[in-house]
Amino acid sequence: MKNILLFLFLVPLFGLSQSLSTDELKMVDEINTLRTNPKSYIQYVEEYISTQEWFLTLHKTAKVKAKSTTSNQNSNNDNTNGKTLSGTDVFLRNIEVAKGLIKILDTLKPLSKLTVRTDMYVITKTHMEYLTSVNKIGHYGPNGQTLGDRMKPLKLTVGENCASNEGIVKTIVLLLVDAGCDTFKEGYFGHREALLNPKYKFVSVAINNIYVVQNFAY
């Protein structure tokens, strides 16, 4: 009887692992590429810098304008107490941070590969679907539910990235640069920390054509 029960428990988990979309599996692979070979992402960050330098040139000729607002979020994922960068400051900030990121990637020792946990995936996908339903990006779920609330049954230490879907590699680069975040002034990059935390062992990713949610745990 014990063997039968074990089999019945494993079958749903195996089936769920097959439910990850192609893009979700690709993003997991890219995250592991970044972690196991940090230098491989230097080329993408260099491309990002080139794009920002191009935008900077366009801005100086009044062909493009830019504004970047950072803020805290309340339990409804609404932005509060916003701080705004505008004009050339936006591009100069992104270039400065990206150049610093290259130095880190160039010297960072390879990190462990992350394993997909199907029980995490259920929770990650549910949150992504919630964000889609309210058309907001944030870490809070229904009724102010936090990441800790969502993951509490798994008894894991967890982290989370929520972002717009800009394509697999580009989204990862934007998270590494923490584009649009103001915490670089304090030297803290939360999204980068989640991707490159050496303690993490597990990952789950949920993607649709609008949003990306990444969860990490150990």
Side-chain angles (χ1 to χ4, degrees):
M1 177 63 73
K2 289 183 179 180
N3 290 336
I4 294 174
L5 290 175
L6 178 61
F7 176 74
L8 291 175
F9 178 72
L10 289 176
V11 167
L13 291 182
F14 178 80
L16 179 60
S17 69
Q18 306 307 303
S19 69
L20 272 74
S21 71
T22 299
D23 282 347
E24 288 166 350
L25 292 171
K26 284 182 178 178
M27 180 161 281
V28 170
D29 286 342
E30 281 298 324
I31 290 171
N32 280 327
T33 295
L34 166 67
R35 288 177 62 88
T36 58
N37 186 9
K39 288 184 179 181
S40 69
Y41 257 69
I42 291 177
Q43 61 179 318
Y44 302 127
V45 181
E46 288 175 337
E47 291 173 3
Y48 173 82
I49 291 173
S50 296
T51 301
Q52 294 299 304
E53 290 175 337
W54 181 59
F55 284 150
L56 181 60
T57 300
L58 291 178
H59 175 79
K60 290 179 178 178
T61 59
K63 292 183 179 179
V64 65
K65 296 182 179 180
K67 181 184 289 186
S68 176
T69 301
T70 61
S71 60
N72 297 318
Q73 287 189 325
N74 60 26
S75 59
N76 290 318
N77 292 320
D78 294 319
N79 296 325
T80 60
N81 302 320
K83 298 178 182 179
T84 300
L85 286 178
S86 59
T88 59
D89 288 344
V90 175
F91 307 115
L92 291 173
R93 176 266 178 210
N94 292 340
I95 292 168
E96 175 189 351
V97 173
K99 287 182 176 179
L101 172 61
I102 287 177
K103 293 179 181 179
I104 291 172
L105 294 176
D106 191 43
T107 57
L108 186 66
K109 294 181 179 180
L111 302 169
S112 61
K113 210 171 188 180
L114 302 178
T115 302
V116 174
R117 279 192 56 149
T118 52
D119 49 2
M120 283 174 56
Y121 175 70
V122 174
I123 297 169
T124 304
K125 187 173 183 179
T126 298
H127 185 56
M128 184 270 293
E129 291 173 344
Y130 170 73
L131 296 181
T132 303
S133 71
V134 297
N135 195 27
K136 295 179 182 179
I137 298 176
H139 300 288
Y140 291 97
N143 302 314
Q145 179 192 64
T146 66
L147 171 62
D149 295 331
R150 292 192 292 276
M151 294 290 184
K152 187 175 181 179
L154 305 185
K155 298 180 179 179
L156 296 168
T157 299
V158 293
E160 182 173 73
N161 287 337
C162 300
S164 298
N165 185 357
E166 303 291 341
I168 294 170
V169 172
K170 184 177 179 181
T171 297
I172 291 175
V173 171
L174 291 174
L175 289 169
L176 286 170
V177 176
D178 256 347
C181 295
D182 195 44
T183 50
F184 77 98
K185 292 179 180 178
E186 290 79 40
Y188 177 71
F189 301 88
H191 299 108
R192 182 189 305 176
E193 165 67 18
L195 287 163
L196 299 178
N197 190 327
K199 292 183 179 180
Y200 286 139
K201 297 179 180 179
F202 309 111
V203 66
S204 59
V205 174
I207 301 174
N208 61 16
N209 61 341
I210 305 173
Y211 297 117
V212 174
V213 177
Q214 303 168 341
N215 285 135
F216 308 87
Y218 65 89

